[in-house]
Amino acid sequence: MSRLVTIFGGSGFVGRYIARRMAQEGWRVRVAVRRPNEALFVRTYGAVGQVEPVLCNIRDRDSVAAAMKGADAVVNCVGILNEVGRNTFGLVQHHGAEHIAQEAASAGVARMVHVSAIGADAHGPSLYSQSKGLGEKAVLEHFPDAVILRPSIVFGPEDQFFNRFASMARFLPVLPITGAGSRFQPVYVDDVAQAAVMGVTGKAAPGIYELGGPEAKSFAELMEDMLEIVRRPGTWVIGLPLPLSAVMGTAFDLLQSLSLGLFTNSILTRDQVRSLSQDNVVGAGMPGLPELGIAPTAMDAVLPEYLWRYRPAGQFYEVRESAKRLRP
């Protein structure tokens, strides 16, 4: 285990899968996070001492340099969906990515993998997409041979997409969504991790890869599929008009500002409304999982394995339904 990889954000949803796979490949793994005491679980991914969380804030270049000292490769999978305090899109997804690329080039790191997102565009409709685009530009400026991964919505047991809406469906007879007609191409988290490992180990050529699953569906269709899995056919999916969603997002943003941090807008931001108005699918002609030799995992093969707990009777739902068919 002489090779060392530093994974920035390695305790997050995508990062933990990359960390586990890198440990399985026999690498030493340094997980760089803001709160290492909350990331101790990553130690179980490898042998004793193989995977270690360390303190790092990518907004600070000195902190980034210390975290990648002696590393043979780096992976950046730090990202945010909404701005809170000093963690703004610009500081985290643009300048943070720039700090990592600058320090990696300065330290002579052999390989870099940067996890971005489909829709990354410096001139995109939302601050999120703009910061992702500027982050990619900065990475390629300082580390031209980087592997950049752009996943669509990522799903898996710890995701904040299907889990969030399935949880809401337990209590709400109506599921309101923004951008009901926008198309997504959900990709399995371990497929993304496998692509990242290929970038670290040199099995993926430098460049930009857009990662999507085998199916592209509208937001509303994804919610209908989810409701079928959690056995809640009585829940209605209602698409909110974008102007109404924008008003709601603005109100929640204002509440966050006026509360001085006591309320964090994790419901809907105006910037998310702009993002949700666009399709989020792999672009025509863009290399992706097939070009990497990875067979995309279908949602049907994974979603029932972790969404069962949102069924009316949880793990006992099938038993209860079977009992109903028993003859007295």
Side-chain angles (χ1 to χ4, degrees):
M1 293 187 292
S2 60
R3 297 169 298 177
L4 171 64
V5 59
T6 296
I7 304 177
F8 294 90
S11 66
F13 174 38
V14 175
R16 67 183 65 186
Y17 283 82
I18 300 174
R20 183 185 292 113
R21 277 191 168 269
M22 290 307 306
Q24 292 171 349
E25 290 284 329
W27 287 57
R28 289 185 296 127
V29 182
R30 185 181 292 157
V31 174
V33 293
R34 287 189 300 148
R35 301 182 180 90
N37 60 308
E38 296 179 7
L40 297 179
F41 63 89
V42 300
R43 290 179 174 176
T44 63
Y45 294 166
V48 176
Q50 184 181 2
V51 184
E52 286 293 334
V54 298
L55 175 65
C56 177
N57 189 328
I58 65 171
R59 300 197 310 264
D60 177 40
R61 282 190 60 177
D62 291 337
S63 177
V64 170
M68 70 170 64
K69 186 176 181 180
D72 300 287
V74 298
V75 180
N76 175 34
C77 47
V78 177
I80 57 175
L81 293 175
N82 59 309
E83 298 180 320
V84 179
R86 288 178 291 179
N87 289 320
T88 64
F89 291 129
L91 289 178
V92 174
Q93 297 182 161
H94 174 197
H95 296 295
E98 184 175 31
H99 293 161
I100 293 171
Q102 286 176 329
E103 294 303 324
S106 177
V109 173
R111 297 188 180 94
M112 176 176 179
V113 175
H114 175 66
V115 180
S116 183
I118 286 180
D121 183 354
H123 304 288
S126 65
L127 295 177
Y128 175 84
S129 61
Q130 291 171 20
S131 63
K132 285 289 189 181
L134 291 170
E136 289 185 4
K137 182 179 179 181
V139 167
L140 292 175
E141 179 181 347
H142 297 285
F143 208 107
D145 291 334
V147 171
I148 295 179
L149 305 177
R150 294 177 175 172
S152 183
I153 287 178
V154 183
F155 69 91
E158 304 90 353
D159 71 47
Q160 293 299 312
F161 183 70
F162 287 110
N163 276 303
R164 176 183 180 183
F165 288 102
S167 178
M168 291 171 58
R170 291 187 300 173
F171 309 104
L172 300 177
V174 174
L175 206 59
I177 59 174
T178 298
S182 297
R183 297 172 66 245
F184 299 91
Q185 197 169 346
V187 59
Y188 182 42
V189 62
D190 200 45
D191 291 344
V192 177
Q194 189 175 347
V197 171
M198 293 181 69
V200 170
T201 57
K203 296 178 181 179
I208 299 176
Y209 299 84
E210 294 198 345
L211 311 182
E215 299 175 280
K217 295 187 175 184
S218 71
F219 195 171
E221 290 173 333
L222 291 175
M223 292 298 97
E224 294 289 354
D225 290 346
M226 177 274 294
L227 290 173
E228 182 178 351
I229 291 172
V230 299
R231 307 294 193 266
R232 296 186 183 274
T235 302
W236 292 359
V237 177
I238 296 181
L240 299 176
L242 289 176
L244 174 60
S245 296
V247 171
M248 293 172 58
T250 301
F252 290 133
D253 287 343
L254 181 61
L255 180 58
Q256 176 174 298
S257 299
L258 295 178
S259 69
L260 302 178
L262 295 177
F263 167 76
T264 299
N265 183 11
S266 58
I267 303 172
L268 180 69
T269 69
R270 186 176 180 91
D271 198 68
Q272 288 170 352
V273 174
R274 299 190 186 102
S275 294
L276 289 168
S277 67
Q278 308 290 314
D279 287 343
N280 194 271
V281 297
V282 174
M286 288 295 296
L289 293 176
E291 286 71 21
L292 293 172
I294 302 172
T297 303
M299 290 181 286
D300 290 345
V302 179
L303 292 182
E305 295 299 317
Y306 67 92
L307 292 183
W308 56 264
R309 62 184 180 272
Y310 300 108
R311 293 173 179 173
Q315 62 183 319
F316 302 108
Y317 179 85
E318 301 294 346
V319 176
R320 191 183 71 174
E321 293 303 301
S322 177
K324 291 180 179 179
R325 295 190 289 271
L326 293 175
R327 297 179 61 183

